[in-house]
Amino acid sequence: MDQVTLVLVRHGESEGNVAAEAALRDDLERIDVPVRDPDIELSELGRRQAAAVGTWLAKQPADDQPDVTWTSPYRRARQTGQIALDEASLELPVLVDERLRDRDMGVTDMLTGRGIRDAYPEEAKRREWIGKFYYRPSGGESWADVAGRVRAVMADLRLRAAGKTVLVTAHDVVNLMFCYVAEGMDEGAVMERARTSGMRNAAICRLVSDDESPTGWRLLDYNLDEHLRDAGIAVTDQPGAADDIDAHGSAQRDEKRESDDSASNAGENETPA
């Protein structure tokens, strides 16, 4: 079967990402966004990040240019893809696939960790017991649920995009699950990956189908952000408005940013967020 190449892009920073960071900083119970999750748009920084993806695409060899785009129906992902294509002067067919949507957080949607503990203490206890990968909030999805729909998308791509390069614009957990499937990871490995190298806004991953791989796929690149750093654009790894965030997660991100800042200041002039 002809090889399929996937260029996975997490959406640029969104207004929801900004609101989620503010809720953590101010120790709020609820994330203040005026629209439902599917309608959240990119921030101004997110638009610049998306344009940098387009600059990266334009620099790729002709044989590596995408032939088609598959995108989440959520506005921030669709905006990211369109801005990138416009910047790269590419006119491609765009397929919107609801299986690429962000994780559904159910009754915990738009709540911080504090908000969940206060409003749904039993949910908080259940999540702590089951673990983040398999925990499914009432009315929502677990990471394992997201992996299931990603597996279905990857199977379709093998059949429908044989011989093509596909630009996929989606979300942090969705793109992480693509890598989880391709690398044959287990729960422990993917949770460690999320903890130490979570998907950055507008970061790029590349996968190729591989008939000799046990999973049928091979990871080429993970969480690339050089296109942002080279353009002097802030690198962010903020939580989504629908993510199950808490103060502990914020502390981990702050620690990671301090490490990134130190490395960046040692070798570059760009200051990541």
Side-chain angles (χ1 to χ4, degrees):
M1 184 178 293
D2 290 340
Q3 190 175 71
V4 181
T5 301
L6 304 183
V7 178
L8 309 174
V9 179
R10 183 193 177 191
H11 63 78
E13 181 192 71
S14 72
E15 297 292 349
N17 295 149
V18 175
E21 284 282 6
L24 288 173
R25 181 183 64 244
D26 298 336
D27 195 25
L28 303 178
E29 295 183 358
R30 179 170 290 275
I31 302 165
D32 184 18
V33 287
V35 297
R36 62 186 188 137
D37 192 32
D39 298 327
I40 293 173
E41 298 192 352
L42 294 178
S43 67
E44 182 55 41
L45 172 58
R47 292 175 182 273
R48 296 200 303 273
Q49 291 171 335
V53 173
T55 300
W56 181 88
L57 288 172
K59 293 178 179 178
Q60 301 308 300
D63 289 346
D64 294 337
Q65 295 282 332
D67 302 295
V68 63
T69 298
W70 285 37
T71 183
S72 159
Y74 284 23
R75 186 166 297 172
R76 55 193 178 274
R78 297 183 70 171
Q79 287 178 323
T80 298
Q82 192 57 59
I83 291 171
L85 292 178
D86 290 345
E87 185 70 21
S89 299
L90 294 172
E91 295 185 10
L92 304 180
V94 177
L95 175 68
V96 178
D97 193 318
E98 72 284 347
R99 295 173 299 180
L100 296 172
R101 71 190 184 279
D102 206 355
R103 179 188 172 203
D104 188 340
M105 294 302 300
V107 298
T108 66
D109 189 26
M110 302 303 172
L111 295 178
T112 63
R114 175 186 172 187
I116 295 169
R117 288 189 293 272
D118 289 348
Y120 302 105
E122 291 304 316
E123 287 285 343
K125 291 178 182 177
R126 193 161 62 88
R127 179 187 182 277
E128 183 177 359
W129 171 250
I130 296 172
K132 188 172 183 177
F133 188 79
Y134 290 111
Y135 165 68
R136 179 188 295 134
S138 180
E141 294 179 294
S142 67
W143 282 31
D145 292 328
V146 177
R149 49 182 165 93
V150 165
R151 287 184 188 276
V153 171
M154 295 173 79
D156 280 357
L157 285 164
R158 288 293 301 265
L159 295 175
R160 299 173 58 184
K164 295 182 179 179
T165 297
V166 183
L167 174 66
V168 178
T169 54
H171 309 269
D172 52 353
V173 173
V174 174
N175 288 2
L176 182 58
M177 290 301 101
F178 270 91
C179 299
Y180 162 83
V181 173
E183 296 181 77
M185 303 171 80
D186 61 15
E187 176 189 5
V190 75
M191 297 314 301
E192 179 66 11
R193 174 78 60 82
R195 188 185 69 82
T196 59
S197 186
M199 201 70 64
R200 302 182 184 104
N201 292 109
I204 297 169
C205 302
R206 290 196 307 142
L207 309 177
V208 293
S209 59
D210 184 348
D211 292 335
E212 296 185 1
S213 166
T215 67
W217 294 88
R218 179 163 43 91
L219 179 72
L220 297 181
D221 296 296
Y222 177 77
N223 217 12
L224 297 179
D225 61 14
E226 288 82 0
H227 53 293
L228 303 174
R229 298 179 186 276
D230 290 346
I233 298 173
V235 178
T236 56
D237 61 347
Q238 296 163 325
D243 198 7
D244 48 343
I245 55 178
D246 56 28
H248 180 61
S250 180
Q252 288 180 335
R253 282 189 297 277
D254 290 343
E255 180 181 351
K256 179 178 181 300
R257 285 204 186 100
E258 290 175 3
S259 174
D260 285 349
D261 285 345
S262 298
S264 180
N265 291 338
E268 302 180 27
N269 294 324
E270 185 270 332
T271 303

